[in-house]
Amino acid sequence: MREVLRLDDVLRLPRGVRLRFDEVRVTHVLLAPERTFDLDAVAADVLSFVDGIRSVDDIVAALSEKYLEDRAVIEHDVIGLLDELCRKRVLDR
């Protein structure tokens, strides 16, 4: 059984996974071995805070402040995105 993502989890990009801006396609991408994920601007912004130091709660707080949005809305969206990327094994806890 897979563990549920928690607010105190600290995430990082695993070895071999990189967040890059593809200048040819003018979009952010998450590069993983044998896979590429195209990201919209919001997903790229969320992932820019994933540094192996900040917790999910820290990321939510930073984004809530940056976008002047209700924390509950940000939290729901951020956890959904990060949880999906953990399931795809392009984020580690």
Side-chain angles (χ1 to χ4, degrees), residues 49-72:
F49 287 96
V50 173
D51 58 7
I53 298 169
R54 293 181 180 104
S55 68
V56 173
D57 191 52
D58 294 336
I59 294 169
V60 168
L63 290 167
S64 179
E65 184 176 316
K66 179 176 180 175
Y67 288 106
L68 303 174
E69 181 62 66
D70 180 66
R71 183 182 167 86

Side-chain angles (χ1 to χ4, degrees), residues 14 17 32 35 37 83-92:
V17 177
R35 299 181 288 174
F37 298 88
D83 190 57
E84 177 70 18
L85 293 173
C86 283
R87 280 190 274 130
K88 292 180 178 179
R89 297 183 177 206
V90 290
L91 284 181
D92 280 345

Side-chain angles (χ1 to χ4, degrees), residues 15-29:
R15 185 176 182 186
V17 177
R18 291 183 292 284
L19 176 63
R20 294 286 185 255
F21 184 75
D22 183 339
E23 294 193 24
V24 173
R25 296 185 296 161
V26 191
T27 190
H28 287 90
V29 294

Side-chain angles (χ1 to χ4, degrees), residues 66-83:
K66 179 176 180 175
Y67 288 106
L68 303 174
E69 181 62 66
D70 180 66
R71 183 182 167 86
V73 172
I74 296 284
E75 184 177 308
H76 179 266
D77 292 345
V78 167
I79 287 176
L81 171 67
L82 296 177
D83 190 57

Side-chain angles (χ1 to χ4, degrees), residues 2 7-8 17 27 31 33-34 36 45 48 64-65 77 93:
R2 195 176 66 78
L7 287 174
D8 63 343
V17 177
T27 190
L31 302 172
E34 301 182 24
T36 301
D45 201 17
S48 73
S64 179
E65 184 176 316
D77 292 345
R93 294 177 205 219

